[in-house]
Amino acid sequence: MSGFFQRLQALPARRQQAFMAALCERLLPNYAFYAEATGQGDPRALRPVLDLVWERLAVKDARIDFERQAEKLAELEPPAGDDSFGARRALEAVVAISSLLDTLRGESPEAVLEVSRTSRGGVRAFIELTEGEEDGERLAALVREHPLMEDENDFQDAVLEAVESELDRDGLKALRRLGRNEGVSNLGLGGEE
C-alpha cells in the first residue's frame, strides 16, 4: 500500500485532483442514499459542485469561484447531531469534495491521501457494521479479504493508473465514467446516474 501512496503523492496537482474527483464521484451515491432515507441534505446541490471541478480539470482557465462552492458545500453537511452510519458516509462525500476544492484553491497538499483513506475508511466501517465481528484480528482479516474492500482497492488502483496516463479531454471523460461506477458507490449502494 505504501507504494500506492508514494505514487499518489508524486503526481502533479492536476492529476491528484482528477484522482480525487473520480473518488468523489463514487462517494456521491452514499450522500444521495442518506438524503433519500432521511430527507436531510440535497444531492442535487452536491452534483453541480463536482461538475465544476471536472470543468476546471478540462479547461484550465475556467473561472470558478471555489470559495463560494466551499460555502455551498458546508450547507450540505448532515446535521452535526446526526451520528448515524448514513450521516457519517454522507459527510465523507461532502468532506472529500471539500478537500478537493481546497487543492483547487492552492491549499491542502495532503488532500489526495485523505480522500483515498476516507473512501477506504467508509468501506471498512461498512464491513465492520455488517460483519459484526468482535475479535480485532479476525475483523482486520475480514476487512482485508472482503469483496467490497478488494473492489475498493482495485478501483483506486484503476483510477491511479488512469490519472498516470493521458489526461486530455477524452481521458478525463473516461476517468469520470470510471468514477461514476454505473451509479454504484464504494459501499455497493446503487444510486442514480
Side-chain angles (χ1 to χ4, degrees):
M1 195 61 72
S2 62
F4 175 87
F5 289 125
Q6 286 167 340
R7 284 167 62 200
L8 209 46
Q9 281 191 293
L11 291 171
R14 179 173 173 268
R15 290 177 185 270
Q16 288 185 355
Q17 290 157 356
F19 177 89
M20 290 186 279
L23 265 60
C24 288
E25 284 289 349
R26 199 157 174 249
L27 292 173
L28 275 187
N30 294 337
Y31 184 93
F33 192 75
Y34 168 76
E36 200 177 290
T38 64
Q40 302 282 347
D42 183 2
R44 286 183 312 279
L46 207 51
R47 160 60 48 210
V49 177
L50 195 49
D51 288 346
L52 287 171
V53 170
W54 286 108
E55 182 182 329
R56 175 64 178 273
L57 288 168
V59 183
K60 201 166 42 189
D61 300 331
R63 305 215 27 96
I64 296 164
D65 183 353
F66 287 113
E67 292 290 334
R68 177 71 194 112
Q69 298 310 313
E71 288 166 20
K72 285 183 191 173
L73 265 185
E75 295 163 14
L76 297 172
E77 288 184 10
D82 187 347
D83 196 33
S84 68
F85 181 83
R88 289 196 303 268
R89 303 299 74 83
L91 183 61
E92 286 170 356
V94 175
V95 168
I97 296 172
S98 185
S99 295
L100 175 50
L101 291 184
D102 288 346
T103 68
L104 289 161
R105 297 183 310 197
E107 303 161 12
S108 194
E110 294 291 304
V112 71
L113 299 179
E114 290 166 20
V115 171
S116 172
R117 289 182 181 128
T118 294
S119 187
R120 285 183 217 274
V123 174
R124 184 179 310 105
F126 186 72
I127 295 167
E128 289 173 358
L129 178 79
T130 54
E131 295 297 336
E133 174 61 62
E134 297 299 316
D135 180 275
E137 274 183 44
R138 277 207 302 265
L139 182 60
L142 253 174
V143 167
R144 261 194 319 276
E145 295 158 11
H146 196 282
L148 275 177
M149 188 55 83
E150 288 178 357
D151 183 57
E152 175 68 14
N153 291 333
D154 291 347
F155 174 78
Q156 288 202 26
D157 286 342
V159 172
L160 179 56
E161 285 173 22
V163 299
E164 285 175 334
S165 59
E166 193 59 45
L167 262 193
D168 56 13
R169 195 171 283 274
D170 288 340
L172 281 170
K173 280 183 185 165
L175 181 64
R176 192 172 186 178
R177 263 193 316 279
L178 176 65
R180 286 202 168 170
N181 200 37
E182 296 174 5
V184 178
S185 82
N186 63 336
L187 305 183
L189 301 174
E192 274 103 55
E193 269 297 299

